[in-house]
Amino acid sequence: MNIFDKTGKMAIGSRLRLLTAKITDDASKIYELYNVDFSPKWFPVFFVLSEEGAKTITEIAELIGHSQPSVTKIIKEMARAGLVKDNLKSNDKRKNVAGLTEKGKKLAEQTKVQNADVAEAVENLMMEASHNLWEAIAEWEFLLEQKSLFKRVQEQKKLREGKEVIIVPYQAQYKDAFKALNEEWISTYFEMEEADYKALDNPEEYILDRGGQILVALYQGEPVGVCALIKMNGSDYDFEMAKMAVSPKAQGKSIGWLLGQAVISTARKSGASTIYLESNTMLKPAINLYYKMGFKKVAGLPTPYKRCNIQMVLDL
């Protein structure tokens, strides 16, 4: 059985390399057919120099989409074959350039007939095919330029893992995790303060018994994220979203976003109209997350935390 029937689309790189190998192998035979001593991998560089004249390595690399070391290697190989002369002086005498030798220029003329035959053969092949490979390649190049395959797989991984995250209400069994996760992230960037210990050591008394809630994110059954919704009695705001923490080993799974959405939903169900939070601007991913959720910067409330330098509110 064809291996690609089993692997499916995940082996697209291997399949493209196989197709490239077939075409490159035929290209070598085609040069032999026309009695041309030439390596197929030289063609992009050779074409640029034959069409546009002498160029610097950087200019060639940019035109053909290769790295500078790759172009340098090809130039040296072509120089040994007598087709190219490098280290030529440019007009401004500041840059070394590469250009075709007389032998290279003669070869460029010699291969015009060959190139026309190849172009016609490829055109006929495309007419036989149900899909236009040339246009498809251009489209794929454009799409991958906008977002790489790596980025697309990264997003798919994040999406899949996010679906495996479950948000559950606080239970006594999560008390240690609530404190440990918060201590971990606070200690990474700041230092624990008195207000932290009060809430983390006594979540029932300082959060739950006062009308607040705590939500826990479970990934594969393990608590990896927490967030509290604290009732703000005697304030212009209904609740404070606080004590959000995600384990470093679980980052990249949209847990912060999922916790935030669950907290907002919980606040709405309780009839709240506003949610307040405090943070620090050095926590750029967190601040970006809050803005994405719809929070806006405000100022004026006193805070028990030294690390707080930004206050935000979400109008529900």
Side-chain angles (χ1 to χ4, degrees), residues 13 28 36 39 51 54 69 88 100 143 166 214 236 254 257 263 282:
S28 296
V36 175
S39 173
E51 290 290 316
L88 298 173
L100 294 183
L143 293 173
I166 302 173
I214 299 173
D236 292 336
S254 301
W257 170 261
V263 164
M282 70 173 288

Side-chain angles (χ1 to χ4, degrees), residues 184-229:
E184 184 176 27
W185 90 258
I186 293 173
S187 299
T188 298
Y189 300 100
F190 310 101
E191 61 180 24
M192 292 284 289
E193 301 180 42
E194 182 181 354
D196 292 314
Y197 287 111
K198 285 182 178 179
L200 297 177
D201 289 334
N202 307 284
E204 293 87 353
E205 178 184 351
Y206 280 88
I207 300 175
L208 302 178
D209 295 345
R210 298 181 182 184
Q213 295 203 43
I214 299 173
L215 298 178
V216 181
L218 303 179
Y219 179 67
Q220 297 180 345
E222 179 185 356
V224 293
V226 291
C227 189
L229 189 63

Side-chain angles (χ1 to χ4, degrees), residues 154-165:
Q154 190 178 48
E155 290 179 353
Q156 184 60 37
K157 177 178 181 288
K158 188 175 182 179
L159 180 63
R160 173 182 53 77
E161 292 178 338
K163 292 179 180 179
E164 298 178 34
V165 176

Side-chain angles (χ1 to χ4, degrees), residues 43-195:
F43 179 75
V45 174
F46 184 77
F47 180 82
V48 166
L49 296 179
S50 63
E51 290 290 316
E52 301 194 16
K55 295 286 183 184
T56 66
I57 299 297
T58 300
E59 289 172 334
I60 297 171
E62 289 176 351
L63 286 169
I64 68 175
H66 284 206
S67 67
Q68 291 190 34
S70 172
V71 172
T72 299
K73 182 179 179 181
I74 291 174
I75 288 293
K76 289 181 178 179
E77 291 177 1
M78 294 173 68
R80 286 195 291 269
L83 302 176
V84 167
K85 185 174 180 59
D86 57 358
N87 293 322
L88 298 173
K89 291 295 182 182
S90 61
N91 292 332
D92 59 15
K93 299 181 180 180
R94 288 181 293 123
K95 298 178 181 178
N96 291 328
V97 300
L100 294 183
T101 60
E102 287 303 315
K103 179 181 178 181
K105 292 176 182 179
K106 289 180 181 179
L107 181 62
E109 285 296 319
Q110 179 185 341
T111 55
K112 283 184 177 180
V113 173
Q114 170 190 331
N115 293 341
D117 289 349
V118 171
E120 188 65 27
V122 172
E123 187 66 33
N124 292 335
L125 178 59
M126 291 170 62
M127 290 176 63
E128 293 178 28
S130 300
H131 306 285
N132 190 313
L133 179 60
W134 190 257
E135 292 182 359
I137 290 174
E139 186 176 20
W140 272 64
E141 288 172 339
F142 173 79
L143 293 173
L144 291 175
E145 184 67 27
Q146 308 308 303
K147 185 187 297 183
S148 69
L149 180 59
F150 172 77
K151 181 65 175 178
R152 292 169 189 272
V153 172
Q154 190 178 48
E155 290 179 353
Q156 184 60 37
K157 177 178 181 288
K158 188 175 182 179
L159 180 63
R160 173 182 53 77
E161 292 178 338
K163 292 179 180 179
E164 298 178 34
V165 176
I166 302 173
I167 309 297
V168 299
Y170 175 88
Q171 297 180 34
Q173 70 191 73
Y174 301 129
K175 182 175 181 178
D176 290 342
F178 180 59
K179 181 177 181 179
L181 288 168
N182 270 282
E183 276 189 322
E184 184 176 27
W185 90 258
I186 293 173
S187 299
T188 298
Y189 300 100
F190 310 101
E191 61 180 24
M192 292 284 289
E193 301 180 42
E194 182 181 354

